[in-house]
Amino acid sequence: MELNYKTSPNYQAVPRKQYTVRTVLNIMGIVFFGGLLLQSVTLPISLNSSGELSHIEEIKMSASDFLEYALFTLGCGILYYFLVNIYFLGEKWRKVFFIIITLLGFFSIYMVFYLLLHPPSH
């Protein structure tokens, strides 16, 4: 048995949409930071042995803790999107990107030593 496939003369293949690196990084940011904010809401909910949902009150965040966590997460998200999008603006902005990343790295190292010398009291 032989099959004869014929294509229509006016058939045009529709090309798939190509995602750029910038688009992929922006989508990843939505997933990461959206997941972090969603985690703060769903963390105290768990399943018990009979399969029922229950709240664990010991790990539930207070309103001020939640606000602090949400503001920190939103601040990190804004910084992430700012850095991703200025990286792709051109060569001049790429230099600004690397300067900001370098400053953040130095600040992180400084904070390690600062927190070793001045531990927070809990």
Side-chain angles (χ1 to χ4, degrees):
M1 176 190 265
E2 186 176 322
L3 298 175
N4 291 327
Y5 290 105
K6 295 181 181 178
T7 59
S8 174
N10 57 1
Y11 173 76
Q12 300 235 345
V14 178
R16 287 181 33 188
K17 182 179 178 182
Q18 297 293 322
Y19 290 106
T20 63
V21 175
R22 184 179 190 174
T23 304
V24 171
L25 289 173
N26 282 326
I27 292 171
M28 285 173 52
I30 291 171
V31 171
F32 292 154
F33 294 106
L36 285 172
L37 289 174
L38 183 64
Q39 174 190 354
S40 67
V41 176
T42 61
L43 181 66
I45 300 172
S46 99
L47 289 173
N48 60 16
S49 60
S50 62
E52 298 171 341
L53 290 176
S54 62
H55 283 279
I56 304 171
E57 294 297 326
E58 295 85 31
I59 61 172
K60 190 174 180 181
M61 283 193 272
S62 67
S64 64
D65 287 341
F66 176 75
L67 180 64
E68 185 178 326
Y69 178 78
L71 288 176
F72 176 77
T73 304
L74 289 173
C76 289
I78 289 169
L79 180 65
Y80 174 81
Y81 283 109
F82 174 73
L83 289 173
V84 164
N85 289 305
I86 68 165
Y87 181 81
F88 292 102
L89 288 179
E91 190 63 34
K92 177 183 155 189
W93 288 103
R94 199 163 287 169
K95 291 177 184 177
V96 173
F97 168 83
F98 284 117
I99 290 169
I100 292 172
I101 290 292
T102 303
L103 290 174
L104 285 172
F106 285 135
F107 180 72
S108 297
I109 293 170
Y110 168 76
M111 286 306 295
V112 166
F113 291 112
Y114 178 81
L115 289 173
L116 284 173
L117 296 175
H118 304 91
S121 60
H122 292 332

